[in-house]
Amino acid sequence: MKKEIKTAKAPSAIGPYSQAIQIGGLVYTSGQIPIDPSTGSFVEGGIKEQTRQSLENVKSILEEAGMTMGDVVKTMVFMADMNDFAEMNAVYATFFTEPYPARSAVAVKTLPKGALVEIEVIAGT
């Protein structure tokens, strides 16, 4: 059975989608942009700060589902500029331990609200 995962500790959906959906032992998050849920605005700074906030949002959603970042099996990272990869990767690495999740990382033309990064994950137990 499909179950919506929703928390006030991550930004509310800004369209017709859920923060995450759980089905069986898997949780699929929607892409998380670097909005601080306490202010409703982007965090100050560049790609490092935006990556950290995006991953904090993912972490909060997973916690609502009873999971941790250690349960993540796949990540998808969307960046506005592939030149930001090394800085994004340095922050990303602080959120995961071995065995690391599988990952895709791509540059896209634009992201919602002009974000520099958007991150979605699949987690499972």
Side-chain angles (χ1 to χ4, degrees):
M1 186 164 94
K2 188 166 75 168
K3 175 185 172 188
E4 180 182 24
I5 305 299
K6 187 175 183 179
T7 178
K9 294 180 181 177
S12 298
I14 55 175
Y17 62 90
S18 300
Q19 288 174 327
I21 293 291
Q22 183 171 14
I23 189 156
L26 294 174
V27 170
Y28 299 83
T29 71
S30 290
Q32 294 301 303
I33 58 176
I35 293 175
D36 179 337
S38 66
T39 66
S41 299
F42 276 177
V43 293
E44 299 272 331
I47 189 68
K48 287 182 179 181
E49 294 80 11
Q50 288 198 16
T51 299
R52 185 172 294 106
Q53 185 63 54
S54 294
L55 287 167
E56 287 293 343
N57 294 343
V58 166
K59 183 178 175 184
S60 293
I61 293 167
L62 292 178
E63 286 172 354
E64 184 67 22
M67 295 187 177
T68 70
M69 296 299 272
D71 295 315
V72 174
V73 296
K74 170 75 170 149
T75 65
M76 287 72 60
V77 180
F78 306 94
M79 292 177 291
D81 186 345
M82 194 55 81
N83 290 319
D84 289 336
F85 182 84
E87 288 182 289
M88 176 282 298
N89 200 49
V91 174
Y92 175 98
T94 67
F95 281 81
F96 298 102
T97 57
E98 292 187 37
Y100 298 112
R103 178 177 74 185
S104 301
V106 297
V108 296
K109 186 173 180 178
T110 58
L111 289 166
K113 297 185 174 269
L116 300 177
V117 65
E118 179 174 1
I119 300 172
E120 65 182 67
V121 307
I122 301 169
T125 58

